[in-house]
Amino acid sequence: MKRRKSELTEQQIVEAVKAGRQEGQHQMVCRYAQRVFAMTVRQVTDVMDAQELTQDTFLRAFSHIGSYDPQRASLSTWLCRIAYRLTLDFLKRRRPIIVSIEDTRECLDDISSERLDAELSTANEERILRLQQLVDELPADEQMLLTLYYFEDCPLAEIAYITGIETGPLAKRLYRIRRKLYKQLTRL
């Protein structure tokens, strides 16, 4: 894919934003706003709130562009990290976190990751609706992890950067979330 003359490279966008040039800010928004909004709107039910969080993400990025390190992540991933934190803060302010007793202790029976995937992916319409309801009842941080992994198709390394959680504990956490969903789904 050839780059149009007016399009800046990722590095040029960063340098332009650092210099305070509108061209860099404009191209950053044009290139990455759709991904940031898509990630945010999956968590925030109100489109206006998602739009505001997307705008806040870019305002924060513009003011903190000096902290961006291209050696650690792409510009897109760095923006998603900012959006993740803003969205999580927003959701925590909006919805109280409820932790059931079941969530605070480890269950004795282990379920293989393959079995979890098979059970959670094979469903009729009623089961899909129930699964969506269960996902909606999860704490905001768990919903965000599922969104990044399953809807955004982000690799674990990218999610680790976005969330600030190392890949090993992150994989275990995703497994526990899936196991919790499975157990709630099979209780019926």
Side-chain angles (χ1 to χ4, degrees), residues 38-45 87 91 95 139-140 142-148 151:
M39 185 184 93
T40 305
V41 79
R42 285 190 180 103
Q43 299 303 311
V44 180
T45 55
T87 303
L91 291 171
R95 182 183 346 165
E142 292 180 359
Q143 286 185 33
M144 290 292 288
L145 288 177
L146 291 175
T147 295
L148 290 168
F151 293 109

mmCIF file of all heavy atoms in Angstrom, residues 38-45 87 91 95 139-140 142-148 151:
data_model
loop_
_atom_site.group_PDB
_atom_site.id
_atom_site.type_symbol
_atom_site.label_atom_id
_atom_site.label_comp_id
_atom_site.label_asym_id
_atom_site.label_seq_id
_atom_site.Cartn_x
_atom_site.Cartn_y
_atom_site.Cartn_z
ATOM 1 N N ALA A 38 -13.827 2.295 18.593
ATOM 2 C CA ALA A 38 -14.380 0.928 18.548
ATOM 3 C C ALA A 38 -14.099 0.187 19.849
ATOM 4 O O ALA A 38 -14.982 -0.516 20.370
ATOM 5 C CB ALA A 38 -13.801 0.159 17.363
ATOM 6 N N MET A 39 -12.913 0.342 20.396
ATOM 7 C CA MET A 39 -12.586 -0.318 21.651
ATOM 8 C C MET A 39 -13.420 0.256 22.797
ATOM 9 O O MET A 39 -13.928 -0.475 23.635
ATOM 10 C CB MET A 39 -11.093 -0.140 21.955
ATOM 11 C CG MET A 39 -10.633 -0.896 23.177
ATOM 12 S SD MET A 39 -8.901 -0.576 23.556
ATOM 13 C CE MET A 39 -9.094 0.764 24.707
ATOM 14 N N THR A 40 -13.591 1.557 22.794
ATOM 15 C CA THR A 40 -14.300 2.236 23.870
ATOM 16 C C THR A 40 -15.803 1.980 23.819
ATOM 17 O O THR A 40 -16.422 1.702 24.842
ATOM 18 C CB THR A 40 -14.025 3.760 23.803
ATOM 19 O OG1 THR A 40 -12.612 3.964 23.824
ATOM 20 C CG2 THR A 40 -14.648 4.490 24.963
ATOM 21 N N VAL A 41 -16.391 2.039 22.644
ATOM 22 C CA VAL A 41 -17.842 1.928 22.533
ATOM 23 C C VAL A 41 -18.335 0.526 22.905
ATOM 24 O O VAL A 41 -19.487 0.357 23.280
ATOM 25 C CB VAL A 41 -18.342 2.369 21.133
ATOM 26 C CG1 VAL A 41 -18.130 1.283 20.087
ATOM 27 C CG2 VAL A 41 -19.803 2.810 21.181
ATOM 28 N N ARG A 42 -17.481 -0.463 22.831
ATOM 29 C CA ARG A 42 -17.878 -1.812 23.260
ATOM 30 C C ARG A 42 -18.073 -1.879 24.763
ATOM 31 O O ARG A 42 -18.749 -2.756 25.270
ATOM 32 C CB ARG A 42 -16.842 -2.837 22.822
ATOM 33 C CG ARG A 42 -16.907 -3.138 21.350
ATOM 34 C CD ARG A 42 -16.030 -4.345 21.005
ATOM 35 N NE ARG A 42 -16.106 -4.618 19.596
ATOM 36 C CZ ARG A 42 -15.159 -4.302 18.722
ATOM 37 N NH1 ARG A 42 -14.064 -3.701 19.129
ATOM 38 N NH2 ARG A 42 -15.290 -4.591 17.450
ATOM 39 N N GLN A 43 -17.451 -0.967 25.484
ATOM 40 C CA GLN A 43 -17.548 -0.959 26.947
ATOM 41 C C GLN A 43 -18.540 0.060 27.474
ATOM 42 O O GLN A 43 -19.147 -0.146 28.512
ATOM 43 C CB GLN A 43 -16.172 -0.667 27.558
ATOM 44 C CG GLN A 43 -15.141 -1.689 27.208
ATOM 45 C CD GLN A 43 -15.574 -3.075 27.617
ATOM 46 O OE1 GLN A 43 -16.000 -3.297 28.728
ATOM 47 N NE2 GLN A 43 -15.497 -4.022 26.695
ATOM 48 N N VAL A 44 -18.678 1.156 26.774
ATOM 49 C CA VAL A 44 -19.531 2.250 27.219
ATOM 50 C C VAL A 44 -20.786 2.232 26.347
ATOM 51 O O VAL A 44 -20.689 2.357 25.142
ATOM 52 C CB VAL A 44 -18.789 3.597 27.070
ATOM 53 C CG1 VAL A 44 -19.643 4.750 27.531
ATOM 54 C CG2 VAL A 44 -17.482 3.556 27.841
ATOM 55 N N THR A 45 -21.930 2.055 26.956
ATOM 56 C CA THR A 45 -23.149 1.881 26.174
ATOM 57 C C THR A 45 -23.604 3.153 25.470
ATOM 58 O O THR A 45 -24.215 3.076 24.417
ATOM 59 C CB THR A 45 -24.297 1.363 27.066
ATOM 60 O OG1 THR A 45 -24.455 2.248 28.174
ATOM 61 C CG2 THR A 45 -23.988 -0.027 27.573
ATOM 62 N N THR A 87 -11.257 4.707 30.005
ATOM 63 C CA THR A 87 -12.530 3.993 29.981
ATOM 64 C C THR A 87 -12.752 3.235 31.274
ATOM 65 O O THR A 87 -13.845 3.250 31.839
ATOM 66 C CB THR A 87 -12.599 3.034 28.775
ATOM 67 O OG1 THR A 87 -12.402 3.798 27.574
ATOM 68 C CG2 THR A 87 -13.926 2.313 28.706
ATOM 69 N N LEU A 91 -15.820 3.796 33.814
ATOM 70 C CA LEU A 91 -16.731 2.720 34.204
ATOM 71 C C LEU A 91 -16.730 2.495 35.712
ATOM 72 O O LEU A 91 -17.772 2.195 36.296
ATOM 73 C CB LEU A 91 -16.369 1.427 33.472
ATOM 74 C CG LEU A 91 -16.639 1.438 31.969
ATOM 75 C CD1 LEU A 91 -16.035 0.205 31.309
ATOM 76 C CD2 LEU A 91 -18.128 1.533 31.686
ATOM 77 N N ARG A 95 -20.265 2.508 37.688
ATOM 78 C CA ARG A 95 -20.850 1.248 38.114
ATOM 79 C C ARG A 95 -20.088 0.712 39.321
ATOM 80 O O ARG A 95 -18.881 0.559 39.274
ATOM 81 C CB ARG A 95 -20.751 0.243 36.961
ATOM 82 C CG ARG A 95 -21.373 -1.066 37.290
ATOM 83 C CD ARG A 95 -21.250 -2.098 36.226
ATOM 84 N NE ARG A 95 -20.841 -1.681 34.912
ATOM 85 C CZ ARG A 95 -20.436 -2.507 33.994
ATOM 86 N NH1 ARG A 95 -20.371 -3.775 34.240
ATOM 87 N NH2 ARG A 95 -20.089 -2.090 32.802
ATOM 88 N N PRO A 139 -17.049 -7.195 36.189
ATOM 89 C CA PRO A 139 -16.429 -5.901 36.500
ATOM 90 C C PRO A 139 -15.822 -5.289 35.237
ATOM 91 O O PRO A 139 -15.451 -6.002 34.293
ATOM 92 C CB PRO A 139 -15.326 -6.275 37.503
ATOM 93 C CG PRO A 139 -15.756 -7.583 38.081
ATOM 94 C CD PRO A 139 -16.513 -8.285 36.988
ATOM 95 N N ALA A 140 -15.719 -3.978 35.212
ATOM 96 C CA ALA A 140 -15.271 -3.245 34.025
ATOM 97 C C ALA A 140 -13.914 -3.718 33.515
ATOM 98 O O ALA A 140 -13.717 -3.863 32.304
ATOM 99 C CB ALA A 140 -15.224 -1.750 34.329
ATOM 100 N N GLU A 142 -12.545 -6.677 33.739
ATOM 101 C CA GLU A 142 -12.669 -7.980 33.094
ATOM 102 C C GLU A 142 -13.345 -7.850 31.729
ATOM 103 O O GLU A 142 -12.959 -8.523 30.767
ATOM 104 C CB GLU A 142 -13.434 -8.956 33.995
ATOM 105 C CG GLU A 142 -12.653 -9.333 35.239
ATOM 106 C CD GLU A 142 -13.400 -10.298 36.152
ATOM 107 O OE1 GLU A 142 -14.545 -10.686 35.845
ATOM 108 O OE2 GLU A 142 -12.816 -10.667 37.198
ATOM 109 N N GLN A 143 -14.329 -6.983 31.621
ATOM 110 C CA GLN A 143 -14.974 -6.740 30.324
ATOM 111 C C GLN A 143 -13.969 -6.185 29.323
ATOM 112 O O GLN A 143 -13.948 -6.595 28.160
ATOM 113 C CB GLN A 143 -16.135 -5.748 30.475
ATOM 114 C CG GLN A 143 -17.358 -6.318 31.121
ATOM 115 C CD GLN A 143 -18.496 -5.315 31.119
ATOM 116 O OE1 GLN A 143 -18.623 -4.504 30.198
ATOM 117 N NE2 GLN A 143 -19.312 -5.359 32.137
ATOM 118 N N MET A 144 -13.131 -5.267 29.786
ATOM 119 C CA MET A 144 -12.135 -4.668 28.898
ATOM 120 C C MET A 144 -11.141 -5.715 28.402
ATOM 121 O O MET A 144 -10.777 -5.713 27.232
ATOM 122 C CB MET A 144 -11.391 -3.534 29.612
ATOM 123 C CG MET A 144 -12.220 -2.298 29.868
ATOM 124 S SD MET A 144 -12.650 -1.413 28.359
ATOM 125 C CE MET A 144 -11.080 -0.727 27.912
ATOM 126 N N LEU A 145 -10.720 -6.615 29.283
ATOM 127 C CA LEU A 145 -9.789 -7.672 28.863
ATOM 128 C C LEU A 145 -10.419 -8.553 27.798
ATOM 129 O O LEU A 145 -9.784 -8.875 26.788
ATOM 130 C CB LEU A 145 -9.361 -8.522 30.057
ATOM 131 C CG LEU A 145 -8.416 -7.867 31.041
ATOM 132 C CD1 LEU A 145 -8.140 -8.801 32.220
ATOM 133 C CD2 LEU A 145 -7.125 -7.452 30.376
ATOM 134 N N LEU A 146 -11.682 -8.946 27.997
ATOM 135 C CA LEU A 146 -12.372 -9.763 27.002
ATOM 136 C C LEU A 146 -12.517 -9.007 25.683
ATOM 137 O O LEU A 146 -12.347 -9.583 24.608
ATOM 138 C CB LEU A 146 -13.746 -10.198 27.518
ATOM 139 C CG LEU A 146 -13.742 -11.210 28.660
ATOM 140 C CD1 LEU A 146 -15.165 -11.458 29.156
ATOM 141 C CD2 LEU A 146 -13.080 -12.517 28.260
ATOM 142 N N THR A 147 -12.820 -7.729 25.758
ATOM 143 C CA THR A 147 -12.962 -6.914 24.547
ATOM 144 C C THR A 147 -11.647 -6.866 23.772
ATOM 145 O O THR A 147 -11.629 -7.077 22.558
ATOM 146 C CB THR A 147 -13.409 -5.482 24.908
ATOM 147 O OG1 THR A 147 -14.711 -5.550 25.484
ATOM 148 C CG2 THR A 147 -13.443 -4.582 23.687
ATOM 149 N N LEU A 148 -10.563 -6.586 24.466
ATOM 150 C CA LEU A 148 -9.273 -6.496 23.789
ATOM 151 C C LEU A 148 -8.876 -7.829 23.164
ATOM 152 O O LEU A 148 -8.385 -7.871 22.038
ATOM 153 C CB LEU A 148 -8.188 -6.036 24.771
ATOM 154 C CG LEU A 148 -8.280 -4.590 25.229
ATOM 155 C CD1 LEU A 148 -7.349 -4.342 26.412
ATOM 156 C CD2 LEU A 148 -7.968 -3.636 24.096
ATOM 157 N N PHE A 151 -12.670 -9.269 20.856
ATOM 158 C CA PHE A 151 -13.266 -8.380 19.851
ATOM 159 C C PHE A 151 -12.216 -7.608 19.064
ATOM 160 O O PHE A 151 -12.346 -7.402 17.867
ATOM 161 C CB PHE A 151 -14.263 -7.406 20.486
ATOM 162 C CG PHE A 151 -15.484 -8.082 21.031
ATOM 163 C CD1 PHE A 151 -15.685 -8.181 22.399
ATOM 164 C CD2 PHE A 151 -16.425 -8.635 20.182
ATOM 165 C CE1 PHE A 151 -16.809 -8.811 22.902
ATOM 166 C CE2 PHE A 151 -17.548 -9.264 20.674
ATOM 167 C CZ PHE A 151 -17.745 -9.355 22.043
#
